[in-house]
Amino acid sequence: MEGRGRFLLVTVVGGVMGLLVWAVLALNGHVFAAAEETASPPGPSGFVGSETCRVCHEKQYARFATTTMGKLFLKHPRNEKEAQGCESCHGPGKLHAESSGESYEGLITFSKKDPTPVDRRNSVCLGCHQKAARLHWQGSVHEARGLACTACHRVMENHSERYQLVKPTQIETCGQCHLQRKAQQMRFSHMPLREGKMTCSSCHNPHGTVGDALLKANSVNELCYSCHAEKRGPFLWEHPPAMENCANCHEPHGSNHEAMLITAKPRLCQKCHMETRHPTQPHNPATRFVYNSSCTNCHSMIHGSNHPSGRAYQR
Amino acid sequence: MNDRIRFSLGYLLITALLLLANAVSAETEEEKIRLSGEVEVGGRVFIDRPSEEDRGKFEEYREVPAGPFLENLHLRIDRADENYFLELRAREIGEEDQNILLWGGRPGRSLFEFEWDQTPHTYSNTGRSPFVETSPGIFELPDLLQTTLEGAAPAARPDILRSFLAAAPPIDLKSRWDTARFLWAASPYPQLHLQAEYTVIYKHGERPIGTTFLFTNQVELPEPIDQRIDDLKLTADLTRENWQLQIGYDLSLFQNDADVLVWDNPLSATDAAGAPSRGRLDLPPDNVAHTLHLAGAVSLPRRSRLSGTLSYSRRMQDESFIPHTINTALSDPVLVLPANSLDGEVDIWTASLRLTSRPIQSVGLKSYYRFYGFNNKTPEWIFPAQVRTDLSVLDEEVRSSSINYTKENAGAAADWRWVSSLSLGVGYDWTRWNRDDRHREAPTTNEHTPKVSFDYTPIDGLLLRTSYSRSWRRNGDYDPFAHLAHTEVDVEGLDTSQAQHLLLRKYDEADRDRSRVDLLAQISPKETLSFTPSVSYRKDDYKNSAFGLQEDRNWAAGLDLSWSPVAPGITFYASYMREVFDALQRARYRTPPSQLENPTYDWVAENEDKVDTVGLAVNVVLVESKVDLDLSWNASRAAGSMRAANPVPPAGGTAAQNSSATAVDFPEIIERLQRLEAALRYSVTPALFWRVRYILEKFNITDFRTDEIQPFMGDVDASAGTSVYLGAQIRDYTAQIVSFAVGYRF
């Protein structure tokens, strides 16, 4: 059996098995009734109202009131859920209030020590935010690794200019885990991130996408073309690896090579070009095939040419 | 008065008027409007300022002028009931890199945004060119120079050009992107969200571009940039508790008002076969892309969710072809074009389906499938002949390429939270590329990637994240002649001995084994101390590639530290990252007709990059609520080496051929950047502060490819004696800046 046929078989069998497992688990209400009960919200009798919370949490209340969510929940709720104020997210506070703050039963504190499972905590946020850019949160790499919304967002105060991030900027927020990416902005050849003209979410949607690397577009190239549309074509003479994936040659997070290349020229081009004569020559550094722009001294239309005689990307 | 000061005064006047209006209104309508914000004005002096020529890298994406500045302006108007707001944030006002964002609306109900951004991009400040741009894209030389060079003996030409280029005047090699963005979003009903976003990017300026008349006569020019991108995005979201639907349309228009580049040939004043008086290059054509997309998700029982997307995109390009050549001496009938324009059309279909489920609290399941189809419907035009760099007709029938491909991904994953502190994930991904076998060597590649991850929180304040994946990419068949078939009509009739080497495997299609490991620990023994070490390693082994990329290894190790020993009085930050990229490639020098397969002409190159990035910072509260001191130092050093060697000494050809086959190491390329910043801030009152800041920024670069570059390169490389370059260098710089600013918060 050929590779494709074998794979299709494995996929179909795996898919059917997966669906079966899911169906069994999903339909067996008896087995998981206990889990469901835990997840269901308590009745309205347990709510005490935000003003009660304010008595002890005056500072938090004041800070929250300055946020967009605070203004909505505390002053202009759009629905009954928002009208529950603090308890809309934290859960009913009656037990907590009656125990003078001793009991946290039924409460979600969203702190690092909160025993509430991450997906339960996140489901509180997704209850309102599961739309638009958050449509594909489930199954995203951040969801799969158990990242809490509060790992990146500080809901209770305006710590960043926008989006209520835990750090003043997006780069610092994402840089909590993506240390290498944060360092790459210091590279010689970089997009204007450290100058504040771009940020991580210019290209990525951290809340999940259906494509690779949480990119905001259907492909790497489609994303790059949103600003570099001159390379979109279609061209009369295409450079196949360039039209398939810009990242075949470029490292968009920053590089120590010109034009954010993954390898310095001419070695980058020589990885693939082994016809005859000059592309195959190891070269002396003091030749026109190496210095200045190296290969693109002549083959400057390397992303594609529309010139009838531009087959070698020289026109 | 320059633009910067005019802009700044304008903004200050607006702020003053708003403050005045607010003060007046506060007396009469105290509850109606509330104005808040911050304004920061000051001045900047340079202790050490890079010269104009050395400033290229320093001002690559910004402008740092001396003199007064209005660095930051933030205005916010809230209605007293906080039902509406209007906010303005402006930065680097009046400077080349200014940014203005105005936004407002009704929280949670409607929003509008307008953003204006300017981003300069300086390529080099050392460029010089003897060419004069007489009209956009048309570069001319004095006729006398062309006539003199044309009439001179070849051996005498470099001397003539050298003396002429010595007086080449400086030129700008910088561009600027001006971006205007409008956004409107509203929720007319609680379940319906509408959004429209329109962005215009206007790029203007010049950047270096290489052109050539074959090999010995390269001419580098400042390419005129006069491009505009119009981008419209419309989205509607319908949201219910158990399902969501999103529909959208994107339009992207690219317009290039610089259609062609025409330049004089320094060596010829009149057109002749083999010696054109001018060259012509086609700059990127106008194009348009439409995209329709649909996405939806439905929540199923037991915390399951099914989501899917469907997207259709059409790209079009139909700009008129220019003739094969501008050389009037070449008028062969075979140069008649088969069409007036490309009639380029590409359809792209993307579809995805994903099912996730968490049937029990401790188990999560995911499976997905994704299809990306690039269907190029552009006609494949046959050209009976081509013109080589405006010099001569090449009678070889070639066909343009309309390349198609599809990419499919599928996979499944499960995570199991064994206990609350331990999570184990396993998964499998599959990627398949199907490429057009007329254009690419590997019609089909399949990559299989099993992976595991392990997250562990043994105690409060310690989180360990690890992941490992191993993948195998295999191509069924690899056809090295596809490189020829890509454009040649009569492959059978060609001398294939000069085609791509049969044993070359291109790294994006080659068989590859990949291993990848990532480790991250987040350690917070107490609230005031956090420590995050991180290690990653990746190795790509192209084990079936006799030539081409053989191996690509890289690793990175680093850490972040944040410590507040005297919270909230002192906070230290430190970060360090070491990255090493090491790639090995193999090639063979091939020179026809006799030395096409000489194994002693093999050469192996090792390209290694080592990058160290370090950051240190301390924030000290000297007097609480009064005096703060911030110190920071960030530095990066990158060293790139390209070493090459022949496994055995080249032999068997002529002395010249053996010499050409001899591999040598290239000099190391080193870049260093460091920035030291110290800022003392004094709060006179809670609303008024002043700040004095010192910045030292130092950059050094050693790059053998550009260190010696100048318009005339004949003294460095005898074979470039008739070429003309721009001499565009990136130079070292040292800048020391002292600035003083006063800020007022209201």
Side-chain angles (χ1 to χ4, degrees), chain B residues 230-247:
Chain B
D230 291 76
D231 194 77
L232 174 69
K233 293 183 196 300
L234 303 173
T235 316
D237 282 276
L238 188 59
T239 308
R240 297 280 182 178
E241 188 177 345
N242 288 323
W243 57 268
Q244 297 84 37
L245 189 67
Q246 185 181 75
I247 187 165

Side-chain angles (χ1 to χ4, degrees), chain B residues 444-459:
Chain B
T444 304
T445 58
N446 282 292
E447 184 162 21
H448 304 273
T449 310
K451 56 190 181 183
V452 293
S453 64
F454 180 75
D455 295 343
Y456 186 40
T457 313
I459 51 171

Side-chain angles (χ1 to χ4, degrees), chain B residues 74 356 388 458 463:
Chain B
H74 175 211
T356 62
R388 299 174 71 185
L463 168 64

